[in-house]
Amino acid sequence: MFEKILIANRGEIACRIIRTALRMGIRTVAVYSDADSGAQHAGLADEAIRIGGAAAHESYLSIERVVAAAKRAGAQAIHPGYGFLSENAEFAEAVEAAGIVFIGPQPLAIRAMGRKDAAKALMESAGVPIVPGYHGDSQEPDLLAGEAAGIGFPVLIKARAGGGGKGMRRVDRAEDFSAALDAAKREAKGAFGDDAVLIEKYLLQPRHIEVQVFGDRHGNVVHLFERDCSLQRRHQKVIEEAPAPGMTAEMRRAMGEAAVRAARAIDYRGAGTVEFIADVSNGLWPDRFFFMEMNTRLQVEHPVTEAITGVDLVEWQLRVAAGEPLPKKQSELKIDGWAFEARIYAEDAERGFLPATGVIDEMRFPEDGVRIDAGVRAGDRISAHYDPLIAKMIVHGPNRRAALAALTRALQASHIGGTVSNIGFLANLSRQEDFVSGHPDTDLIERNLETLTAIPTAEDTVIALAAVLSLEGKRPGFDPWDTLGHWQLWSEMQRVVTLDHAGGLANLRVVARGFDMFAVHDGHRVIPIRIASRHADRLQVEADGRQVSVGIERGPHRLCLRLDGNSHLFALADPLDGTALEAEAGDRLIAPMPGFIKIVRTSEGAVVSKGEPLIVMEAMKMELTLTAVRDGIVESVQASEGQQVSEGAVLVTLKAGEA
């Protein structure tokens, strides 16, 4: 077994690998960029080495710097994690050429599966079913358009290199194909350095089901059952589960055998995932699933497989890379219970899942029965240079119903402070009717997007509670003498509070009834409020006869209450100001986050309509299209292609005019 390994990655996966290595008595070496000098993974490892600037190509994507760090540290092996260089055959070759063990498959296997078109041809020859489509080398736009028409819309354009939803576009109509092809090629070129694509038939009721496989140097290959990853947005997974709901023994056997055939076809070693798409228009059937791709690395969602099998997949990776045989045979692997994983991101679901940056000032997760794989801590900054993943939440239960209920409870009890997160969206998704009934599909989120991302409207009791909390005094507790004024003659201590919530103003009268006890008049009824106890920024409250635990986050003229898995934002308005909290006129197009400008689609004097694309920018490895917020005339364009811009930068200004 190795004595020292280097982890060529960052964040959550680096921390996860380090923990298993430490448990096995293996010393670890972390690498970090300038943006990660104080990162958690660097502190967890036995030693850490700086490898370059904040930009990934200057650090985590630099083969030379990573290999040099391993040699400098005397590491015997390198674990690539996922993303970055994990599926780069040249990196694996460079590691081996340096006399270091690559903890992953051999370079030939990575290459065989690295190009989706070649991989599909190889799988077809191995007897693995593939999705109908065009997988040829020619990339002439007219030819691709013709192939798409021949396949029949809808089709899916996919980058032949890489993964993670980059360079992927669904096209429903022939007239939209050209623009979608251009966008997919741009994104693929930026993400993988290869703009070639393939075209596949898009299944209208698909399920994304993948199979975990493992091979060793002794010719052994096993599968560790399936994961359902159908809940996706922008072709990126959101909540995964294992096993797949509705899976029959016959289909599990067929998929498992197909995945093993795929691994044997390339003499696969280590951990890998064979991804299938299943047509579930008439249920799950063994003859209605198709090979999509093989990921030659550990997957983000591997913890759900660990939960139902009791296997530490990173430990298996280390043992197989050290030359040991697989710890278990296929007959020894069993499914125990059900598991879910939810990916918690710094992103704004209400604004199209726009990635967010910022310093995390609080991370609150349940401690009992929940596994949290996190790469950041309170006080860490979410950088614009990398993926905005904060943590993965994993739960396990004896059956699907119990595990899903545990996931919902855990999400409702969690909070990220300092930056926006998708926790509320995930909680809503965990309660979505089709998902709860065991019928997920890859379009479920898109079909229900409006309800899943809707801003929650607070109940009357929550609004009443916000009115009370907005009056909190400087001294501990809720002393009415401190919060509602001092001496009053022949009248109750009271104050009128005006709150702006969900686009409307509410005027409430708060009356003190004693220490920590209040009556709130909302114009319709009187709502009793009692503050039962306080713990840091969380209160136990009795509101209108119901006891709830409430988290509080304060800002200038704002108050955010967190309860039941939802965050309710209140702005504190001046009741005498009739224009309080009036929205901006909407005459500026502003960069929502740091990034660089890829395309400018407008010019000064142009007449534009609301929703018209004006700027295409790239941020956090995503391409964002910014549109006109209203009809008007372009007054100025303050951005140019190739320009790096900061969050809040004004890109385009509009003036009044008819579109």
Side-chain angles (χ1 to χ4, degrees):
M1 183 48 66
F2 309 115
E3 295 181 0
K4 180 188 283 190
I5 66 171
L6 180 140
I7 295 92
N9 219 295
R10 65 177 300 280
E12 169 271 323
I13 186 58
C15 296
R16 188 262 171 277
I17 295 166
I18 289 169
R19 290 188 176 99
T20 287
L22 294 179
R23 179 177 58 78
M24 295 176 66
I26 300 171
R27 291 181 58 81
T28 57
V29 182
V31 293
Y32 64 90
S33 70
D34 288 345
D36 280 340
S37 59
Q40 184 179 24
H41 75 277
L44 278 179
D46 293 294
E47 55 186 289
I49 297 176
R50 177 189 176 274
I51 56 171
H57 70 271
E58 297 176 356
S59 49
Y60 300 108
L61 287 174
S62 173
I63 294 174
E64 296 77 11
R65 295 184 182 189
V66 171
V67 172
K71 293 170 69 174
R72 172 183 168 186
Q76 300 162 298
I78 294 179
H79 196 306
Y82 55 72
F84 294 128
L85 295 170
S86 62
E87 294 181 280
N88 188 308
E90 293 180 3
F91 176 54
E93 289 173 339
V95 171
E96 293 181 353
I100 301 171
V101 175
F102 180 71
I103 303 174
Q106 60 275 41
L108 283 176
I110 297 175
R111 279 203 173 86
M113 291 299 171
R115 278 184 47 174
K116 293 182 176 64
D117 51 355
K120 288 178 184 296
L122 178 61
M123 292 299 98
E124 190 173 25
S125 65
V128 179
I130 66 170
V131 180
Y134 171 75
H135 311 125
D137 290 327
S138 178
Q139 294 292 302
E140 291 297 320
D142 289 345
L143 182 143
L144 294 175
E147 291 290 341
I151 295 168
F153 292 95
V155 299
L156 191 65
I157 303 173
K158 296 176 66 174
R160 73 180 182 185
K166 305 296 189 301
M168 191 178 296
R169 294 291 188 280
R170 171 181 169 174
V171 187
D172 295 305
R173 306 182 305 165
E175 52 265 41
D176 298 331
F177 184 82
S178 178
L181 177 64
D182 290 344
K185 281 180 166 291
R186 279 196 310 271
E187 200 168 72
K189 183 69 174 179
F192 316 119
D194 181 358
D195 70 352
V197 299
L198 50 88
I199 313 295
E200 291 182 348
K201 178 66 179 175
Y202 187 88
L203 303 181
L204 291 176
Q205 283 188 272
R207 288 263 299 274
H208 184 134
I209 302 175
E210 60 189 31
V211 178
Q212 177 73 58
V213 294
F214 235 104
D216 62 22
R217 299 182 184 181
H218 309 281
N220 302 308
V221 181
V222 299
H223 69 81
L224 290 92
F225 313 109
E226 79 282 352
R227 300 183 286 256
D228 193 300
C229 306
S230 298
L231 291 188
Q232 302 178 9
R233 51 134 187 101
R234 291 179 183 155
H235 307 291
Q236 293 187 337
K237 301 161 188 174
V238 178
I239 294 179
E240 302 98 345
E241 62 181 298
M247 179 64 69
T248 64
E250 182 184 13
M251 187 164 182
R252 176 172 290 127
R253 181 170 56 254
M255 293 188 82
E257 290 173 353
V260 168
R261 284 199 304 273
R264 288 192 183 281
I266 55 173
D267 187 26
Y268 195 79
R269 301 170 192 171
T273 298
V274 182
E275 299 195 355
F276 297 102
I277 194 80
D279 181 355
V280 296
S281 54
N282 293 307
L284 287 171
W285 294 95
D287 61 347
R288 298 298 294 164
F289 70 89
F290 309 96
F291 172 85
M292 287 199 304
E293 61 186 12
M294 182 175 185
N295 292 303
T296 53
R297 55 171 168 80
L298 197 67
Q299 291 280 88
V300 179
E301 59 272 19
H302 75 273
V304 293
T305 295
E306 294 182 324
I308 66 166
T309 61
V311 170
D312 184 328
L313 294 180
V314 172
E315 179 179 343
W316 276 34
Q317 284 186 297
L318 295 170
R319 294 193 180 282
V320 166
E324 297 182 17
L326 292 176
K328 288 187 177 183
K329 299 178 181 178
Q330 189 69 61
S331 60
E332 297 175 303
L333 293 165
K334 307 293 182 185
I335 294 177
D336 176 23
W338 215 283
F340 287 90
E341 174 185 290
R343 303 188 188 190
I344 300 173
Y345 282 94
E347 63 181 11
D348 192 340
E350 296 159 11
R351 298 174 62 200
F353 298 97
L354 191 69
T357 57
V359 176
I360 297 176
D361 56 34
E362 180 190 9
M363 288 178 61
R364 186 189 302 276
F365 299 114
E367 297 181 358
D368 297 332
V370 179
R371 169 178 166 180
I372 299 294
D373 285 9
V376 294
R377 306 149 296 185
D380 287 348
R381 175 175 293 277
I382 301 297
S383 169
H385 295 287
Y386 314 117
D387 188 275
L389 179 68
I390 295 174
K392 302 184 312 192
M393 174 181 288
I394 304 99
V395 298
H396 179 258
N399 53 54
R400 189 175 190 272
R401 180 178 180 179
L404 187 53
L407 178 66
T408 301
R409 286 195 302 271
L411 288 168
Q412 290 178 340
S414 300
H415 172 66
I416 305 294
T419 186
V420 67
S421 80
N422 66 339
I423 288 179
F425 163 76
L426 293 171
N428 289 341
L429 184 56
S430 73
R431 297 187 294 258
Q432 200 280 329
E433 183 179 354
D434 291 335
F435 181 47
V436 171
S437 64
H439 297 96
D441 65 75
T442 57
D443 291 328
L444 184 148
I445 291 177
E446 187 64 31
R447 286 197 310 272
N448 298 278
L449 193 59
E450 185 174 349
T451 55
L452 291 173
T453 60
I455 300 174
T457 301
E459 299 176 356
D460 292 346
T461 53
V462 178
I463 297 174
L465 177 60
V468 171
L469 298 181
S470 70
L471 298 173
E472 180 180 6
K474 297 180 180 178
R475 297 198 299 269
F478 283 79
D479 186 341
W481 294 101
D482 193 34
T483 60
L484 298 182
H486 298 285
W487 187 80
Q488 291 177 244
L489 180 64
W490 310 117
S491 65
E492 297 176 309
M493 290 181 296
Q494 57 184 285
R495 183 170 296 176
V496 174
V497 176
T498 300
L499 301 175
D500 185 307
H501 173 65
L505 293 178
N507 293 302
L508 305 102
R509 183 162 55 93
V510 180
V511 180
R513 294 298 192 205
F515 187 77
D516 283 346
M517 298 180 66
F518 305 87
V520 181
H521 300 250
D522 66 0
H524 303 287
R525 62 190 182 112
V526 178
I527 301 172
I529 302 288
R530 182 175 70 89
I531 310 299
S533 63
R534 170 196 288 271
H535 303 283
D537 62 348
R538 182 161 288 271
L539 302 176
Q540 196 69 27
V541 177
E542 183 179 293
D544 202 21
R546 177 192 175 209
Q547 289 197 8
V548 293
S549 178
V550 183
I552 309 171
E553 184 177 336
R554 298 180 183 276
H557 309 295
R558 62 183 288 275
L559 177 70
C560 181
L561 302 187
R562 305 183 303 273
L563 69 162
D564 296 334
N566 291 314
S567 295
H568 302 285
L569 183 63
F570 299 88
L572 311 180
D574 181 352
L576 301 179
D577 182 4
T579 62
L581 304 165
E582 184 177 15
E584 293 185 4
D587 58 354
R588 299 183 301 168
L589 188 66
I590 295 174
M593 61 190 312
F596 72 92
I597 305 300
K598 298 193 73 172
I599 300 174
V600 177
R601 296 189 181 277
T602 192
S603 59
E604 185 176 331
V607 179
V608 298
S609 302
K610 181 178 180 180
E612 181 178 334
L614 302 183
I615 299 284
V616 178
M617 65 179 291
E618 184 176 286
M620 285 187 164
K621 302 193 294 183
M622 293 177 57
E623 188 174 284
L624 309 173
T625 299
L626 308 182
T627 62
V629 293
R630 63 171 174 83
D631 296 346
I633 297 174
V634 175
E635 183 176 44
S636 66
V637 178
Q638 302 177 37
S640 57
E641 294 182 1
Q643 178 185 357
Q644 187 77 30
V645 296
S646 60
E647 180 179 358
V650 177
L651 307 179
V652 177
T653 60
L654 302 178
K655 61 183 178 180
E658 294 185 3

